[in-house]
Amino acid sequence: MGVDIGGTKTDVVVTDASGTVSQRHRVPSGQGNDAVVAATLEAVAYVCAEADIGIADVESVGIGVPGAVIDGVVTHAYNLGVERLDVATTLGEAWGITPVVDNDVNAAAVGAWILTGNGNRSMAFLNLGTGLAAGIVLDGKVWRGRRGAAGEIGHIAIDPSGPLDAEGTPGAIETYASGSGIVRQWGGNTTAEEVLRAATLGDPAAEIIRDRLFYGIASAVRVLVLTLDVDEVILGGGLTKWGEPLMTGTLAVLNEWQERSAFLNSLCLSERVQALDSTEPVAAVGAAMMGAGRG
């Protein structure tokens, strides 16, 4: 079983050993420790009922969750309103089986590796969701870094005069290229989808935010390639539901940079990017495989 506890929804799947999904269910994640735990228990109970199994019949459980994760404890999961939650112990006591817990973007990176049949030695999964971060696979293994912060590139500032993020950093990548960042720039009381729709209809303020989105994604790709020289950057997350316009706009920025710089052109940035099918439960599948010892 794989559980993806996202900033807005909790996605649960039952898979076989290869990652093929047999059952899936999603519920709103809620805010705060109690709500997050309750949503997870509800979604897992529903999936078990649909699959006609009990939680005791499940061989393993893997969970992906935002924030820093050490020994099953998540901290600083601000998108969930969670400062600290011992996910492994709390849910393990409820189920009688201790789950493997990791950062949700790391889980998504594993899922993307599996779902794309990736034969490359290195890959970055760039999650464009409520927030922005990258899951990194090097030589076929997830790279977490010294303190589990590898891939938290949303905090990198790319414009000192840009809009402020939640922590007061100007021009952070996450402000430009995430759902929450788009809403923050607009001034709240809307959704990222509505802002992008307004840009399509010619609203000048929305067009600025849309162009910043393209610039932010392209900047994230550039950071990942220049720091890790990964074979491929796979785009995923809620914003990829926008489809072809997202890729077209991002590639236009990358190609412009490559036309101006022989060095960047030699790196073939635009050729290393692809978008994952937005309907795939990538993080939940990755979590299931990590739970099964395949992470």
Side-chain angles (χ1 to χ4, degrees):
M1 182 168 292
V3 183
D4 169 27
I5 303 176
T8 57
K9 51 80 185 169
T10 294
D11 194 0
V12 178
V13 298
V14 176
T15 77
D16 62 15
S18 69
T20 301
V21 176
S22 59
Q23 295 290 338
R24 182 185 185 187
H25 184 58
R26 287 174 286 182
V27 299
S29 295
Q31 287 286 306
N33 290 20
D34 292 343
V36 168
V37 171
T40 303
L41 293 175
E42 174 192 342
V44 168
Y46 183 93
V47 162
C48 285
E50 288 294 298
D52 195 25
I53 59 174
I55 190 66
D57 300 317
V58 177
E59 292 186 8
S60 62
V61 180
I63 298 176
V65 62
V69 180
I70 299 177
D71 296 330
V73 178
V74 59
T75 56
H76 312 306
Y78 300 123
N79 290 339
L80 293 169
V82 170
E83 179 60 36
R84 183 184 187 279
L85 176 60
D86 189 338
V87 176
T89 298
T90 302
L91 293 174
E93 289 175 349
W95 291 329
I97 178 173
T98 301
V100 173
V101 184
D102 204 335
N103 176 268
D104 60 338
V105 183
N106 287 340
V110 173
W113 183 273
I114 292 167
L115 292 172
T116 60
N118 199 307
N120 291 325
R121 295 183 62 192
S122 63
M123 180 203 76
F125 175 81
L126 182 60
N127 185 62
L128 308 171
T130 306
L132 179 145
I136 300 165
V137 177
L138 300 178
D139 290 330
K141 297 180 180 180
V142 175
W143 175 252
R144 297 175 178 83
R146 174 71 179 270
R147 297 179 181 271
E152 292 289 349
I153 62 173
H155 296 276
I156 295 175
I158 54 177
D159 181 2
S161 62
L164 300 180
D165 69 5
E167 297 179 347
T169 302
I173 293 178
E174 185 170 84
T175 304
Y176 282 23
S178 72
S180 62
I182 289 173
V183 171
R184 175 178 292 276
Q185 292 177 71
W186 187 256
N189 197 30
T190 187
T191 65
E193 291 79 8
E194 290 173 348
V195 176
L196 295 175
R197 188 178 303 115
T200 301
L201 296 174
D203 184 289
E207 288 178 341
I208 291 173
I209 294 173
R210 177 201 59 196
D211 292 345
R212 284 175 175 166
L213 168 64
F214 300 148
Y215 180 75
I217 298 172
S219 296
V221 172
R222 182 177 63 185
V223 166
L224 291 166
V225 172
L226 290 177
T227 54
L228 298 167
D229 201 17
V230 289
D231 292 306
E232 190 171 35
V233 178
I234 296 178
L235 308 183
L239 288 181
T240 59
K241 293 178 181 177
W242 193 24
E244 187 58 34
L246 187 80
M247 280 295 294
T248 300
T250 299
L251 292 176
V253 176
L254 291 171
N255 286 327
E256 181 183 348
W257 291 344
Q258 291 175 178
E259 289 173 3
R260 296 202 307 257
S261 167
F263 173 66
L264 292 181
N265 188 56
S266 71
L267 297 179
C268 304
L269 295 178
S270 59
E271 296 176 17
R272 302 198 199 194
V273 185
Q274 70 163 302
L276 194 67
D277 182 351
S278 62
T279 65
E280 294 280 8
V282 56
V285 169
M289 295 298 94
M290 296 176 96
R294 298 175 183 270

